Amino acid sequence: MAAPRPVPIANTILLADDKSQPTNSESVAAILRRCQVTLIADWLTRAKSTPELNHLHLSDQERTGHLPMLLDDIMARLAKPKLPSNDSDAEDSITAVEHGRLRRAQHYTSAMLIHESRILQVTIFGTLHQNLNMLDFNLLLPDVMIIADEVDAQLTQSMDSYMKLMRGSMAA
């Protein structure tokens, strides 16, 4: 019997006859759904250890209450089999708008909103990296593009509602 021949995949070599390798692949949305609790916990850990964010005394729920709905928006967007073709193909997100209002009431700065959005992207991509062995690589790059577009669109909507409140309080 001949030795199994190596099959290069990214920077890893898998053996073609290795039965211990995972045979099922998952979509990005399925991985995010399966790992949602861990992803939110990881995001919270990062946020709490970030000096720009941790000086506000908020409960864990006050920090993360918006995340399940924003992740739901991302997963809904991933369910649409289409790459971003316009400036953004994202739909309006009531959750993102409300998040901007809430963060204004919690005395966030605009820089803090941007920082926590960046942490969300890093955490999502970290979750995907931890699940590389389960990913459907045919969908990975298009899904990463959609995630980046959706998170940026959510940030834009949050910032818009935040700024409207800020301008309203300055006019009063």
Side-chain angles (χ1 to χ4, degrees), residues 26 38 48 51 59 80 103 121 125 127 131 152 169:
E26 288 182 280
T38 305
K48 287 171 115 176
S59 70
K80 298 175 184 175
R103 289 303 193 230
Q121 284 193 41
F125 297 146
T127 297
N131 287 275
D152 288 348
S169 67

Side-chain angles (χ1 to χ4, degrees), residues 16-82:
D17 295 339
D18 186 353
K19 301 297 183 221
S20 67
Q21 301 295 329
T23 56
N24 296 333
S25 61
E26 288 182 280
S27 69
V28 168
I31 290 170
L32 294 180
R33 190 171 298 107
R34 178 173 50 81
C35 297
Q36 185 170 356
V37 171
T38 305
L39 191 153
I40 291 170
D42 290 348
W43 181 93
L44 179 61
T45 299
R46 286 176 184 265
K48 287 171 115 176
S49 67
T50 302
E52 295 87 351
L53 298 177
N54 71 7
H55 68 277
L56 290 179
H57 301 289
L58 300 174
S59 70
D60 291 354
Q61 176 57 34
E62 288 170 320
R63 285 190 195 276
T64 63
H66 66 290
L67 284 175
M69 282 99 37
L70 290 179
L71 290 170
D72 286 346
D73 287 350
I74 291 168
M75 288 181 270
R77 176 88 182 276
L78 287 168
K80 298 175 184 175
K82 175 178 154 184

Side-chain angles (χ1 to χ4, degrees), residues 56 97-110 113 116 158-159 161-170:
L56 290 179
V97 170
E98 198 52 44
H99 176 62
R101 291 179 186 144
L102 175 65
R103 289 303 193 230
R104 176 71 181 140
Q106 292 172 331
H107 306 292
Y108 263 57
T109 65
S110 55
L113 263 174
E116 73 174 12
S158 292
M159 285 298 300
S161 65
Y162 175 96
M163 295 305 292
K164 284 177 186 170
L165 279 177
M166 191 169 107
R167 284 189 297 269
S169 67
M170 292 172 136

